[in-house]
Amino acid sequence: GLNTFLPLLVLALAAKMHLFGVQLNGSFAWLASDAALAALGVASFAEIIADKIPAIDHVLDVIGTVARPAAGALAAASVFRNTDPAFATLLGLIIGAPTALSFHTAKAGTRATSTVGTLGLLNPLLSFLEDMAAIVMIFVALLAPFLVPVFLLIFGFVLWKILKLAKTKWRAKTV
């Protein structure tokens, strides 16, 4: 939910290179194709760069409201091996889409608060921190999937504290 394409790129690379025990459901094997990897690489690079530019980051967040849950559903569905593709897709929609949407919503809310409070000047730094958090979460999900809920709770708590602090500072400025 923090990035649309980067998690898919790393998942596809891990499947292609047989890393971390990642194997894709046969119906989703196309994710590890050269064409998909090239497209995901270009899209990841473009998204990471564009997300650092105020105003464009908000356009990406609007698009991300649909794209990130779809990518989350695709990523989740693709790893349900030996599962009927329709059932894997359903599981992806139940697990991946809401998870990605919740992170996207938190990110978009943080960005909106940052834009109001700092006139967007802090947004590139937030984007960099989001990229780092996304990379850490991707590798935690690959290396120790059972730790993902713990990291999600910690990330949610830290994000809540940041939003609370930003809201307090913003109210202090308007008083």
Side-chain angles (χ1 to χ4, degrees):
L2 297 176
N3 296 82
T4 306
F5 302 106
L6 187 61
L8 287 173
L9 174 63
V10 174
L11 176 69
L13 282 169
K16 177 121 180 152
M17 299 168 78
H18 307 289
L19 300 173
F20 311 111
V22 173
Q23 294 179 345
L24 301 178
N25 180 312
S27 297
F28 297 95
W30 60 268
L31 271 173
S33 70
D34 292 339
L37 285 169
L40 289 169
V42 169
S44 294
F45 180 77
E47 180 182 30
I48 287 169
I49 298 302
D51 198 46
K52 309 290 182 280
I53 303 168
I56 294 177
D57 63 344
H58 293 296
V59 172
L60 288 175
D61 283 340
V62 170
I63 295 167
T65 303
V66 174
R68 290 183 180 135
L74 176 60
S78 71
V79 295
F80 287 107
R81 295 183 329 203
N82 304 322
T83 304
D84 175 65
F87 188 64
T89 302
L90 179 62
L91 290 173
L93 289 170
I94 292 170
I95 297 167
T99 302
L101 181 60
S102 64
F103 272 90
H104 166 70
T105 302
K107 173 187 176 172
T110 302
R111 286 297 186 86
T113 301
S114 170
T115 299
V116 170
T118 70
L119 300 175
L121 296 176
L122 192 58
N123 288 10
L125 174 63
L126 284 175
S127 176
F128 175 76
L129 294 173
E130 292 160 0
D131 293 340
M132 294 303 103
I135 290 167
V136 168
M137 287 302 300
I138 290 165
F139 284 102
V140 166
L142 292 172
L143 293 170
F146 59 89
L147 289 179
V148 170
V150 174
F151 274 83
L152 292 177
L153 288 172
I154 291 168
F155 182 78
F157 178 75
V158 169
L159 187 59
W160 174 72
K161 285 297 214 178
I162 290 170
L163 287 173
K164 187 175 175 182
L165 178 66
K167 189 176 181 180
T168 302
K169 288 189 180 223
W170 182 72
R171 282 188 178 164
K173 283 185 179 181
T174 60
V175 174

